[in-house]
Amino acid sequence: MTIRVLSPTTINRIAAGEVIERPAAVVRELIDNAIDAGATQIDVEIDAGGKRHISVRDNGIGISKAELPLAIQRHATSKLPEENLDSIQYLGFRGEALPSIGAVARLSITSGKKDSETWRQRVEGGVVHELEPAPKHNGTIVDVDDLFYATPARLKFLKGDQAETQACLEIVRRQAIASPQIGFRVTVDGKQKLHLPAESGDLFDSRLKRISAIMGRDFGENALKVDAAREQIGLYGYASVPTFNRGTSSYQYLYVNQRPVRDRLLLGVVRAAYQDFLGHDRHPVVVLFLEMPGAEVDVNVHPAKAEVRFRDQQFIRGTIISALRHALSEAGHRASTTVAAATLGAMQAQRAVGYSAPASSYAWQPSMPLTARDNVVPIFSPPEAMSMPEAAPSAQEAVAQAQEVYLPLGIAKAQMHRTYVMAETQDGVVIVDQHAAHERLVYEGMKAQMKETGIARQALLIPEVVELGEDAALLSEKIPVLAEMGLILEPFGEGALVVREIPALLGRVDIRQLIRDLADDLREHGETLSLNSQFEHICGTMACHASVRAGRVLSAAEMNTLLRQMEATPHSGQCNHGRPTYVELKLKDIERLFGRT
Ligand code: ADP
Ligand code: MG
């Protein structure tokens, strides 16, 4: 073995392995460069998930003919004039991106400064071409074709076009939020996918406009403004009220000195700030900008610059937590909703560990001995009470009173907005989402039947013909699977199916819609799911269709039946989509809402 220095191309390919892990990283680096160049408009093109073609076009300062060959040299940068890593002013500083991309793809940089000619520099798989003259452009156009063609091993690790495209779009969104004064346009496979015009106004306003454009008006309406400074550290941005939350932390946009980061420390701090308000599997939506002197933070610790290191972690942590808590508690006129949100947060936390009844029977131990008369007020009796579809006390309630049974979900008192069942429990109020609850019941019922006896079917008097076009073939393949689940289909000529029997549990459903949704589902998930999860999925879709839709008036008896069935059904606390089927407000929560405790 002899030690020898690697060729520049090999060195660049090694660097590319870290810096350019996927197409989205190319997009990130090129947009960074355009922002650093002072662009006010950035146009991005992505073809075939970025594997075939990525182009980023800006109207920034451009690169002179003399500097173009330097731009593709490793460790050549215009962004560290003093070579001082403590005061980094730009997103780039390593001079690595362009040579790395040139080593693994076909790279072409076309650039011109105002009032001078435009030139093009090409590099293909590390081979540098002669400069060539190009049509006039004020700014820079970078084209990247056949990414990783020179390193086929890397190509194999990429995901499908769809997933790579999404990752690229996500990068643009992250960067666009930080720079509302820049207009962004993204074209995917020739179609415009994102159009964000440059926003004007002060930074807070323009950021909010940009954020709303990207995340939807909802967020703007549910966001609290964060604006805090402590010593040299500033934290600005928006944080959602706790009730506006998501199932993943990917809706947390964090920036350090305008640089988008996915820093573990920061993500952990956000989680900690919301800890008392959110269940452990829910995540707030935040956009936070942390500003501090360059000497306080090292941005040069991660190849993709996604993580940073703070000089004084504890201080940063404390500053962010107190700023977020402050925003959450002192939000002016939103104070009252914040209290309600906190209460809801407490309810959600309870719900997470809340009850899920065993499959077979009641296992309820009343937490205290009950006398029906103290705790259960006669239902539906006073006419001045909430208007009810039925005025007679239900038989169930009479039984409950007589036997002094403890009913965890209480007794139905009213239906609100034809969607929610209100019930009074021993020590609080339960609000049931009738659609979600019923969906869960049907789903669990189907699962239980399938395990024990097979799903009971009901023949249709008049078989229903459903025209499906291409999807008919997709469903035809699944005829045996669907039959096991109680859905009997037969092919019916070209592009159509006939439905002969459906699961009895479904009752009356819109069969065409059900079949179409099943086809959509299969198209989307069919191949990727195991047989078992296919069952669950199909059950779920069917249950959703069978459910008592929101908007249906329920009688008192129907409402109470729903409550009793929920008590007897496992996992009835949430619907198939993970939303709660009911929430419970304890009297003491209600008292808290009114400031009585
Ligand atoms: P870095 O951004 O870390 O300096 P790059 O390899 O990304 O490294 O770019 C090298 C140099 O090329 C930059 O320092 C900059 O001078 C120039 N450059 C790259 N992209 C652009 C652009 N879009 N507009 C103007 N100059 C650019
Ligand atoms: Mg760069």
Side-chain angles (χ1 to χ4, degrees):
M1 274 203 307
T2 327
I3 299 183
R4 65 186 193 93
V5 176
L6 297 171
S7 73
T9 300
T10 309
I11 293 174
N12 286 331
R13 281 187 189 158
I14 291 171
E18 291 203 306
V19 181
I20 309 294
E21 75 277 22
R22 62 193 296 197
V26 172
V27 174
R28 182 192 64 225
E29 293 294 339
L30 298 183
I31 291 182
D32 275 1
N33 283 348
I35 294 175
D36 284 344
T40 57
Q41 177 64 42
I42 300 178
D43 296 336
V44 182
E45 282 171 23
I46 299 158
D47 289 344
K51 299 170 204 170
R52 188 164 59 220
H53 177 71
I54 293 172
S55 135
V56 173
R57 176 192 182 97
D58 69 51
N59 60 356
I61 52 166
I63 310 173
S64 67
K65 182 184 177 191
E67 286 177 311
L68 257 181
L70 279 176
I72 52 156
Q73 266 183 41
R74 194 168 162 78
H75 307 313
T77 177
S78 56
K79 300 174 191 173
L80 275 185
E82 316 271 294
E83 301 215 6
N84 179 359
L85 283 169
D86 275 353
S87 62
I88 287 173
Q89 308 290 328
Y90 294 97
L91 295 168
F93 52 84
R94 292 184 188 140
E96 262 184 345
L98 294 179
S100 300
I101 297 169
V104 298
R106 299 181 217 283
L107 169 70
S108 149
I109 307 166
T110 307
S111 194
K113 286 187 166 301
K114 227 170 132 234
D115 306 324
S116 63
E117 299 143 34
T118 299
W119 289 82
R120 177 171 300 145
Q121 172 76 72
R122 288 193 294 133
V123 191
E124 296 191 323
V127 178
V128 180
H129 292 238
E130 291 287 311
L131 275 182
E132 20 180 309
K136 177 82 189 125
H137 176 69
N138 279 341
T140 304
I141 306 166
V142 180
D143 291 292
V144 178
D145 288 288
D146 303 325
L147 183 61
F148 300 129
Y149 88 98
T151 51
R154 170 62 54 132
L155 206 49
K156 289 206 194 84
F157 285 97
L158 298 185
K159 301 199 175 125
D161 291 1
Q162 187 92 26
E164 294 297 342
T165 300
Q166 286 310 321
C168 293
L169 286 168
E170 186 55 24
I171 289 288
V172 181
R173 285 189 209 108
R174 282 190 182 271
Q175 311 228 38
I177 285 176
S179 304
Q181 75 289 356
I182 303 179
F184 286 85
R185 204 175 297 126
V186 184
T187 310
V188 173
D189 297 320
K191 284 201 208 88
Q192 181 168 297
K193 268 280 141 64
L194 198 63
H195 180 206
L196 301 164
E199 302 286 358
S200 53
D202 73 35
L203 198 55
F204 250 121
D205 276 359
S206 57
R207 266 190 188 147
L208 186 57
K209 279 189 241 156
R210 175 57 60 84
I211 290 166
S212 299
I214 289 177
M215 312 225 269
R217 281 251 303 283
D218 269 15
F219 177 68
E221 283 162 8
N222 286 286
L224 305 167
K225 191 163 160 174
V226 179
D227 186 359
R230 202 201 256 182
E231 294 177 22
Q232 299 166 300
I233 313 286
L235 183 72
Y236 314 92
Y238 297 89
S240 68
V241 295
T243 39
F244 189 83
N245 56 53
R246 307 297 288 252
T248 121
S249 67
S250 24
Y251 297 91
Q252 299 180 357
Y253 294 85
L254 305 171
Y255 302 83
V256 175
N257 292 347
Q258 313 271 330
R259 177 189 302 281
V261 294
R262 293 291 298 161
D263 186 78
R264 260 167 297 170
L265 173 91
L266 293 180
L267 291 168
V269 172
V270 171
R271 166 180 295 273
Y274 277 83
Q275 200 171 25
D276 299 343
F277 309 102
L278 280 180
H280 72 283
D281 56 342
R282 305 300 301 174
H283 305 264
V285 180
V286 303
V287 180
L288 293 173
F289 297 90
L290 197 54
E291 303 287 342
M292 63 187 69
E296 291 294 313
V297 56
D298 189 353
V299 295
N300 187 27
V301 295
H302 188 266
K305 298 175 243 166
E307 302 231 333
V308 295
R309 195 161 299 140
F310 299 106
R311 197 178 56 77
D312 189 346
Q313 291 198 3
Q314 276 324 101
F315 185 69
I316 300 285
R317 205 185 147 80
T319 305
I320 301 177
I321 291 193
S322 68
L324 284 176
R325 293 247 166 101
H326 184 77
L328 286 170
S329 62
E330 294 219 352
H333 68 283
R334 295 213 202 167
S336 61
T337 49
T338 310
V339 178
T343 309
L344 281 170
M347 287 156 53
Q348 284 174 340
Q350 261 174 7
R351 199 184 61 232
V353 294
Y355 97 85
S356 76
S360 46
S361 65
Y362 287 99
W364 288 102
Q365 293 300 319
S367 50
M368 56 173 99
L370 288 181
T371 47
R373 251 128 317 273
D374 290 347
N375 298 290
V376 185
V377 183
I379 193 173
F380 308 146
S381 47
E384 66 273 19
M386 299 163 186
S387 100
M388 291 299 305
E390 274 187 17
S394 77
Q396 269 184 356
E397 195 219 356
V399 172
Q401 284 190 19
Q403 299 182 347
E404 299 186 3
V405 199
Y406 172 57
L407 301 174
L409 293 184
I411 295 208
K413 289 276 168 180
Q415 186 189 29
M416 299 286 198
H417 300 282
R418 300 179 171 194
T419 302
Y420 302 103
V421 174
M422 312 287 291
E424 182 178 293
T425 62
Q426 179 198 328
D427 56 354
V429 178
V430 161
I431 308 170
V432 177
D433 177 334
Q434 67 190 44
H435 172 73
H438 190 252
E439 176 180 327
R440 192 70 198 180
L441 293 179
V442 172
Y443 175 69
E444 291 295 337
M446 285 183 66
K447 270 203 336 206
Q449 280 189 0
M450 200 151 72
K451 235 200 235 135
E452 280 152 33
T453 51
I455 291 184
R457 297 194 302 260
Q458 172 199 341
L460 298 177
L461 279 180
I462 307 162
E464 183 105 30
V465 176
V466 188
E467 297 286 344
L468 282 166
E470 285 175 14
D471 285 344
L474 200 72
L475 272 179
S476 297
E477 279 172 31
K478 301 283 173 191
I479 283 178
V481 179
L482 293 170
E484 269 183 68
M485 310 195 50
L487 193 62
I488 306 297
L489 305 177
E490 284 167 22
F492 193 76
E494 188 78 346
L497 290 166
V498 59
V499 185
R500 302 210 174 271
E501 297 178 38
I502 63 169
L505 261 174
L506 296 192
R508 283 222 312 263
V509 289
D510 180 342
I511 291 174
R512 281 154 199 265
Q513 195 55 47
L514 168 65
I515 299 293
R516 273 189 216 111
D517 281 7
L518 279 175
D520 285 349
D521 250 24
L522 285 172
R523 185 158 9 93
E524 209 160 309
H525 307 287
E527 304 314 314
T528 54
L529 296 179
S530 67
L531 195 61
N532 210 8
S533 22
Q534 277 186 37
F535 274 125
E536 301 213 333
H537 216 79
I538 296 170
C539 267
T541 304
M542 295 214 256
C544 184
H545 277 269
S547 299
V548 174
R549 290 275 173 199
R552 213 191 95 191
V553 176
L554 298 182
S555 72
E558 281 178 312
M559 290 193 276
N560 280 303
T561 306
L562 185 68
L563 296 177
R564 302 294 79 81
Q565 284 180 348
M566 286 173 70
E567 286 163 357
T569 303
H571 312 300
S572 61
Q574 55 197 335
C575 78
N576 307 331
H577 311 297
R579 292 188 300 271
T581 56
Y582 74 93
V583 291
E584 183 175 14
L585 211 46
K586 297 280 185 200
L587 276 177
K588 66 176 184 341
D589 293 326
I590 298 176
E591 281 159 8
R592 234 172 47 203
L593 284 177
F594 288 101
R596 284 168 59 148
T597 53

